[in-house]
Amino acid sequence: RGLQSSVCDAPGRGECAAAGGHEEVPEGFIPGQNLLAIDAGCGPGLWLRGLSSRFSHVIGLDQSQNLLEKARQNQSELLHEKENQVELRPA
């Protein structure tokens, strides 16, 4: 209650904006804390870093094992950073 969801705009622009009502934000609320982002069809993981800066937990999903492996290679540093909860899963 009182929280707004975040949605990202068209691919390639990498901008996120608040959506929903303008309800009162609880005291101590930190934007992105305890929020989950799912990148469905994450491909080589190009959006993972941007999402991880806005959300506390990011899950990248893709049907292609080859693309998930590319995402693991492209974002290996991000996947191993302790302050980020980023994971890749098959869809």
Side-chain angles (χ1 to χ4, degrees):
R1 186 184 153 172
L3 302 180
Q4 296 180 346
S5 62
S6 293
V7 293
C8 288
D9 65 357
R13 292 180 52 196
E15 298 172 5
C16 289
H22 298 315
E23 298 177 22
E24 196 174 305
V25 176
E27 185 176 329
F29 173 72
I30 300 170
Q33 184 178 1
N34 298 320
L35 294 178
L36 168 67
I38 298 177
D39 185 0
C42 69
L46 301 178
W47 283 80
L48 296 176
R49 182 161 301 280
L51 289 170
S52 72
S53 70
R54 293 173 174 87
F55 295 87
S56 59
H57 192 170
V58 178
I59 300 173
L61 301 173
D62 206 285
Q63 291 182 333
S64 169
Q65 289 297 328
N66 290 336
L67 287 175
L68 285 174
E69 185 55 38
K70 282 192 181 277
R72 282 186 191 91
Q73 292 170 2
N74 292 342
Q75 302 296 339
S76 63
E77 196 174 295
L78 176 67
L79 293 167
H80 293 96
E81 291 175 0
K82 289 185 180 185
E83 62 272 4
N84 294 314
Q85 286 189 316
V86 178
E87 58 184 288
L88 296 169
R89 297 183 188 176

